[in-house]
C-alpha cells in the first residue's frame, strides 16, 4: 500500500479509504458524464478533525484534494481533473442539530442533503430558503461551495443569503468555526461569505449555521403557454406585480417539453402546444389566485392548488435535466442576463446554434434572468459552442455563470465575466488560503 493511502486509512478507517475501482467509479465521473478523472483514492472522513488530518497528510505528500458532496455539480468541479487527486467526500459529515426556533436557525453538517435539511426545518414549522431538483443528493456543503441558486432564488436569494456562519478546514489543516449564529457581527472579513461560491478551492466546509424562514407553503401553481421568451418575461413580471407571494418563476420551451415527455411518458400539459411555457409558484389566497386566472395568457393555463397536482406541473420543469442527459452528453451553459436582453440573446442564440449544427434546449429561472442553455451535438471535449454562447451572453451584459459556478468547465473563460484586476485579487485570495495549490487545482482558475 502506498504511504499516503496507509495514512488516510489510519485516519478514516479502511472502509472509508477506497481504491476499489468499482467503489471509486461513482466519485470520479460527474453527473453530466462530461467530466471525469482518475482518483488515487476516495477518503470519507467522519468529522472536522479527520478532515484536517486528511488535508495535512495530502499536503505532506503533495497530493491534490478534490472536495465532493453529492456530486450533482454541473461544471466538473467535484471530480478530479487530468492531474488526478484524492477525492475527499463529505457525505459522512451528517450532523443535524435541533432547529433553534427562537432565532430561526439551524446548524447542519456539510453532508446533509438539501431534502433532509428542508424536511428537518419543516418539522419545526420553518423553511430552508434553497430548493432545487437535485435536492435528494445535493449537500449543504456542496450548495454553499457553489452558492447554489435554485427554484426559490427570486424569493429567498441564493445559498450565500442563507449563510450565517460556517465551520471549515483550510488547506493547512487549521479549522475555522463560526457557528454561533449571531446576525449582527461586524468583526472583519466575512469568511463564510467568501467560502460561499469558492468551489472547493479555499477550504473544506464541514458544517454551516443557516437561516430559516417562516413556512409559507406555495398554494398556487400556474403553467401557462406563451409565444416566446419575451412574453414569458412580461407575464412573470405582471404576475409578480399582482401577487406578493410569488416564489418561483420558471421557463421552458417546446423542444425541452418534447424531450421530457419522450423520456418520462408524461401527457401534454395543456390543450394545445405553445412555443414556450412559464411556470409560477406562489403562496396565494383564493382571492389573490383569482387575479391571476383572469389574465389573458392564463386562460388556457393549467392551474393547480393541491400538492399532488402542483408537483405534477413541476415535473415538466424539474425533469428537464435528466431528460436532456438521456438524449446525449450536454454542454451545460448557465447564463444570466438582464431581463430586458433575454429576447435579443435568445434570437441570436438560435442563429449561433444553427451554424454549429447543434441543438439547444433552453430553460431556467426566468424570474432571475437565468437561462440554462443545454447544447446537444458537439463532442464533449469541443468547447467552441460553449465559448460562443458564453461570449454572446457577456455581450448582452450577462454573466457566464448564474448559479452552477465556473468549475473546470469554464476556467478558461473566467476573464469573459471578470476583469484582470478582479482575477488578480481572486488569485491573491487563493494563494493566501492555499499557497501550495492543494485544493481543487484546475477549478475556477486554469492551473
Ligand atoms: P458537488 O457536486 O459534490 O460539488 C460541487 C462543487 O463544490 C465542487 O467544486 C466541489 O469541489 C465543491 N464542494 C462540495 N462539497 C464541498 C465542501 N463540503 N467543502 C468545499 N467544497 C465543496 N444548481 C443550482 O444552483 N440550481 C439548481 O436549480 C440546480 N438544479 C439541479 C438539478 C439537477 C437535476 C442537478 C443534477 C443539478 C442541479 N444543480 C443546480 C447543480 C448542483 O445540484 C449544485 O451545483 C449543487 O450545489 C451541488 O451540490 P453537491 O453537494 O452535489 O456538490
Ligand atoms: C435546474 O435549474 O434545473 C438546474 O440548474 C439543472 C440544470 O441546469 O440542468
Ligand atoms: Zn437551475
Amino acid at each position: 500500500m502506498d504511504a499516503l493511502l496507509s495514512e488516510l486509512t489510519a485516519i478514516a478507517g479502511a472502509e472509508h479509504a477506497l481504491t476499489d475501482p468499482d467503489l471509486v467509479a461513482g466519485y470520479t465521473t460527474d453527473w453530466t458524464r462530461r467530466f471525469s478523472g482518475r482518483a488515487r483514492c476516495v477518503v470519507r472522513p467522519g468529522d472536522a478533525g479527520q478532515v484536517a488530518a486528511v488535508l495535512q497528510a495530502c499536503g505532506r505528500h503533495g497530493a491534490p484534494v478534490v472536495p465532493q458532496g453529492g456530486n450533482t455539480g454541473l461544471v466538473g468541479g467535484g471530480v478530479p481533473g487530468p492531474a488526478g487527486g484524492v477525492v475527499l467526500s463529505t457525505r459522512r459529515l451528517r450532523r443535524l442539530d435541533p432547529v433553534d426556533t427562537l432565532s430561526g436557525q439551524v446548524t447542519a453538517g456539510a453532508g446533509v442533503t438539501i431534502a433532509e435539511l428542508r424536511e428537518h426545518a419543516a418539522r419545526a414549522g420553518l423553511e430552508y430558503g434553497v430548493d432545487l431538483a437535485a435536492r435528494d443528493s445535493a449537500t449543504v456543503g456542496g450548495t454553499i461551495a457553489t452558492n447554489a441558486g435554485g427554484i426559490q432564488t427570486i424569493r429567498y436569494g441564493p445559498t450565500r443569503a442563507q449563510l450565517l456562519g460556517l465551520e471549515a478546514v483550510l488547506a493547512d489543516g487549521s479549522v475555522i468555526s463560526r457557528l454561533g449564529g449571531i446576525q449582527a457581527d461586524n468583526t472583519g472579513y466575512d469568511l463564510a461569505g467568501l467560502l460561499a461560491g469558492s468551489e472547493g478551492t479555499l477550504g473544506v466546509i464541514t458544517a454551516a449555521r443557516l437561516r430559516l424562514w417562516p413556512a409559507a407553503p406555495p398554494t398556487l401553481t400556474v403553467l401557462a403557454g406563451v409565444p416566446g421568451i419575451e412574453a414569458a418575461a412580461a407575464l412573470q413580471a405582471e404576475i409578480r406585480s399582482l401577487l406578493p407571494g410569488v416564489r418561483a418563476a420558471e421557463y421552458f420551451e417546446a423542444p425541452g417539453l418534447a424531450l421530457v415527455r419522450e423520456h418520462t411518458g408524461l401527457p401534454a400539459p395543456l390543450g394545445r402546444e405553445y412555443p414556450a411555457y412559464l411556470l409560477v409558484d406562489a403562496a396565494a389566497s383564493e382571492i389573490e389566485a383569482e387575479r391571476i386566472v383572469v389574465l389573458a395568457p392564463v386562460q388556457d393555463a393549467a392551474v393547480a392548488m393541491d400538492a399532488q397536482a402542483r408537483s405534477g406541473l413541476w415535473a415538466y420543469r424539474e425533469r428537464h435535466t435528466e431528460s436532456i442527459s438521456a438524449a446525449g452528453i450536454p454542454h451545460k451553459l448557465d447564463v444570466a442576463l438582464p431581463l430586458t436582453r433575454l429576447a435579443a440573446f435568445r434570437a441570436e442564440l438560435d442563429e449561433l446554434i444553427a451554424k454549429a449544427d447543434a441543438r439547444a434546449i433552453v430553460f431556467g429561472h426566468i424570474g432571475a434572468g437565468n437561462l440554462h442553455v443545454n447544447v446537444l451535438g458537439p463532442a464533449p471535449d469541443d468547447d467552441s459552442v460553449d465559448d460562443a454562447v458564453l461570449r454572446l451572453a457577456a455581450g448582452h451584459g450577462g454573466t457566464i455563470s448564474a448559479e452552477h459556478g465556473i468549475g473546470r468547465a469554464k476556467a478558461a473563460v473566467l476573464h469573459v465575466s471578470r476583469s484582470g484586476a478582479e482575477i488578480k485579487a481572486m488569485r491573491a485570495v487563493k494563494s493566501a488560503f492555499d499557497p501550495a495549490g492543494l485544493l481543487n487545482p484546475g477549478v475556477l482558475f486554469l492551473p
Side-chain angles (χ1 to χ4, degrees):
M1 192 189 285
D2 80 34
L4 173 59
L5 182 59
S6 57
E7 283 184 48
L8 298 179
T9 303
I11 294 164
E15 70 277 33
H16 298 300
L18 314 174
T19 52
D20 177 338
D22 287 342
L23 297 177
V24 166
Y27 296 86
T28 51
T29 297
D30 80 320
W31 200 94
T32 68
R33 294 168 285 139
R34 191 175 176 202
F35 301 96
S36 59
R38 271 186 330 103
R40 188 160 164 184
C41 145
V42 174
V43 62
R44 302 188 300 209
D47 58 33
Q50 289 188 7
V51 172
V54 166
L55 292 187
Q56 284 168 337
C58 290
R60 278 193 301 276
H61 290 268
V65 175
V66 181
Q68 186 184 98
N71 196 14
T72 67
L74 299 173
V75 289
V79 292
V86 169
V87 173
L88 188 163
S89 169
T90 59
R91 288 188 216 176
R92 287 180 65 221
L93 304 175
R94 299 194 36 80
R95 163 182 183 181
L96 190 51
D97 290 8
V99 170
D100 174 350
T101 49
L102 193 60
S103 60
Q105 300 179 5
V106 69
T107 297
V112 171
T113 68
I114 296 307
E116 289 166 339
L117 175 62
R118 287 179 57 79
E119 281 157 23
H120 185 60
R123 281 192 289 273
L126 295 167
E127 176 170 17
Y128 181 55
V130 172
D131 194 15
L132 68 181
R135 59 182 74 78
D136 291 326
S137 306
T139 60
V140 164
T143 52
I144 294 170
T146 58
N147 186 29
I151 55 182
Q152 301 184 160
T153 314
I154 56 169
R155 182 141 191 89
Y156 300 114
T159 301
R160 188 183 283 115
Q162 323 305 320
L163 193 58
L164 295 165
L166 52 67
E167 176 191 78
V169 184
L170 304 183
D172 64 0
S174 54
V175 179
I176 55 171
S177 182
R178 218 161 174 79
L179 297 173
I182 300 175
Q183 295 209 38
D185 181 17
N186 274 350
T187 51
Y189 298 143
D190 176 6
L191 298 178
L194 186 58
L195 263 77
S198 63
E199 302 188 48
T201 62
L202 298 183
V204 178
I205 298 152
T206 48
R209 184 75 176 174
L210 299 162
R211 179 195 311 282
L212 301 175
W213 301 85
T219 49
L220 173 72
T221 301
V222 176
L223 176 62
V226 288
I229 197 160
E230 196 168 7
L235 181 58
Q236 66 84 32
E238 187 171 11
I239 294 177
R240 287 168 77 183
S241 73
L242 292 170
L243 287 188
V246 172
R247 44 201 288 144
E250 300 283 310
Y251 175 76
F252 55 89
E253 300 182 340
L257 176 62
L259 274 188
V260 169
R261 291 192 54 210
E262 194 181 306
H263 177 64
T264 62
L266 287 171
L270 302 179
R272 49 163 282 222
E273 291 186 359
Y274 289 86
Y277 297 83
L278 176 73
L279 182 73
V280 171
D281 227 13
S285 65
E286 284 198 16
I287 293 171
E288 285 173 328
E290 275 163 24
R291 282 188 218 146
I292 302 309
V293 292
V294 296
L295 295 176
V298 182
Q299 295 296 296
D300 181 38
V303 178
M305 297 194 73
D306 69 83
Q308 199 184 351
R310 289 184 41 254
S311 73
L313 294 182
W314 268 96
Y316 293 104
R317 163 63 181 86
E318 290 208 326
R319 300 195 68 181
H320 264 68
T321 309
E322 67 183 82
S323 303
I324 293 165
S325 279
I329 298 183
H331 293 236
K332 297 190 80 74
L333 306 165
D334 158 47
V335 302
L337 298 115
L339 291 183
T340 49
R341 307 297 297 191
L342 285 178
F345 168 80
R346 185 68 196 85
E348 286 173 44
L349 178 69
D350 273 342
E351 290 167 29
L352 188 160
I353 295 294
K355 276 193 208 135
D357 200 16
R359 67 176 163 146
I361 310 297
V362 178
F363 66 99
H365 315 285
I366 193 169
N370 180 185
L371 293 183
H372 298 312
V373 179
N374 287 256
V375 183
L376 287 168
D381 60 353
D382 175 358
D383 285 335
S384 49
V385 164
D386 307 44
D387 212 51
V389 172
L390 299 177
R391 284 176 195 279
L392 180 65
H396 282 282
T399 169
I400 63 165
S401 172
E403 57 170 11
H404 294 165
I406 295 295
R408 296 183 193 287
K410 299 176 187 171
V413 284
L414 180 61
H415 63 276
V416 172
S417 271
R418 293 294 205 155
S419 68
E422 284 177 311
I423 293 175
K424 194 172 160 205
M426 284 161 65
R427 280 191 180 274
V429 171
K430 168 71 177 168
S431 322
F433 273 74
D434 181 17
L438 184 74
L439 288 166
N440 250 357
V443 169
L444 198 48
F445 310 107
L446 286 179

